[in-house]
């Protein structure tokens, strides 16, 4: 059996036409889609806030951040879409996803360097890519999604 250092568990989800993954250790929970309260003068990629069991959580639209198309609506779109609540620097931040995929275990050696430009997303946000039968799984580095100034603005929204 492989040691923990050689394997990584990823929560995978769809944004637009691409499959993404984040380290399961950075995921607090996954919640169903609910109404988001808009916050005036927030950065363009901040959709607003939600109240999750008494806790105010800023919601980020990675579609806007990465300049991606939202996935085409299907009959199950509301059931499949939602928020992944991430723990970034001891702060909870939600990201909007089109569809939760599954939790996968990958070997760290399977994660390859990302191409210079991948579907409009800058490589600074990407830990690496994993080749799959249907295409690629893009592994996001959530600590690089926001620079310290941006992260502080998001945290101040709470």
């Amino acid at each position: 059996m492989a040691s923990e250092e050689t394997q990584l568990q990823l929560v995978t989800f769809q944004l637009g036409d691409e499959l993404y993954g984040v380290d399961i250790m950075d995921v607090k929970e996954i919640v169903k889609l609910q109404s988001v309260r808009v916050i005036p003068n927030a950065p363009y990629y901040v959709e607003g806030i939600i109240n999750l069991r008494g806790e105010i959580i800023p919601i980020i639209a990675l579609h806007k951040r990465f300049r991606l198309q939202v996935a085409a609506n299907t009959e199950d779109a509301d059931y499949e879409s939602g928020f992944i609540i991430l723990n970034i620097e001891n702060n909870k931040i939600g990201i909007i996803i089109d569809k939760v995929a599954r939790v996968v275990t990958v070997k760290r050696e399977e994660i390859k360097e990302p191409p210079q430009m991948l579907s409009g997303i800058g490589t600074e946000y990407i830990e690496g890519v994993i080749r799959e039968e249907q295409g690629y799984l893009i592994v996001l580095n959530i600590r690089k999604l926001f620079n310290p100034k941006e992260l502080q603005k998001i945290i101040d929204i709470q």
Side-chain angles (χ1 to χ4, degrees):
M1 185 160 174
S3 71
E4 283 183 30
E5 290 82 40
T6 63
Q7 291 190 334
L8 181 66
Q9 280 195 307
L10 300 171
V11 174
T12 63
F13 56 93
Q14 188 174 337
L15 277 181
D17 295 329
E18 300 291 339
L19 189 63
Y20 295 88
V22 291
D23 188 334
I24 198 168
M25 298 307 290
D26 295 326
V27 175
K28 176 75 175 130
E29 63 186 298
I30 300 170
V31 296
K32 68 180 184 175
L33 204 56
Q34 55 186 279
S35 63
V36 175
R37 181 166 178 241
V38 177
I39 301 297
N41 301 320
Y44 72 95
Y45 50 83
V46 176
E47 206 65 20
I49 57 172
I50 62 169
N51 184 333
L52 186 62
R53 295 183 295 282
E55 199 168 3
I56 304 301
I57 298 178
I59 300 296
I60 307 301
L62 288 184
H63 297 90
K64 292 179 183 176
R65 180 78 173 166
F66 296 158
R67 293 171 178 78
L68 296 173
Q69 293 291 108
V70 176
N73 277 345
T74 65
E75 286 181 19
D76 298 330
D78 286 342
Y79 176 74
E80 295 172 338
S81 59
F83 307 117
I84 293 181
I85 309 300
L86 299 171
N87 188 4
I88 303 175
E89 312 258 335
N90 292 321
N91 296 289
K92 291 180 186 164
I93 296 175
I95 58 172
I96 301 170
I97 59 170
D98 291 330
K99 180 181 178 182
V100 175
R102 62 190 199 282
V103 175
V104 297
T105 302
V106 298
K107 294 178 182 161
R108 290 192 186 271
E109 65 209 34
E110 293 175 337
I111 302 173
K112 305 298 180 199
E113 287 288 314
Q116 285 298 9
M117 191 54 94
L118 194 62
S119 298
I121 298 176
T123 55
E124 67 269 20
Y125 308 126
I126 300 173
E127 179 110 1
V129 295
I130 300 169
R131 180 89 169 113
E132 292 196 322
E133 291 174 26
Q134 303 86 356
Y136 289 96
L137 168 60
I138 302 166
V139 181
L140 294 177
N141 183 336
I142 66 161
R143 281 160 192 77
K144 292 186 178 177
L145 285 179
F146 311 102
N147 67 40
K149 214 178 216 180
E150 290 172 320
L151 188 58
Q152 191 58 51
K153 274 186 184 178
I154 293 167
I155 293 164
D156 289 346
I157 288 172
Q158 301 177 41

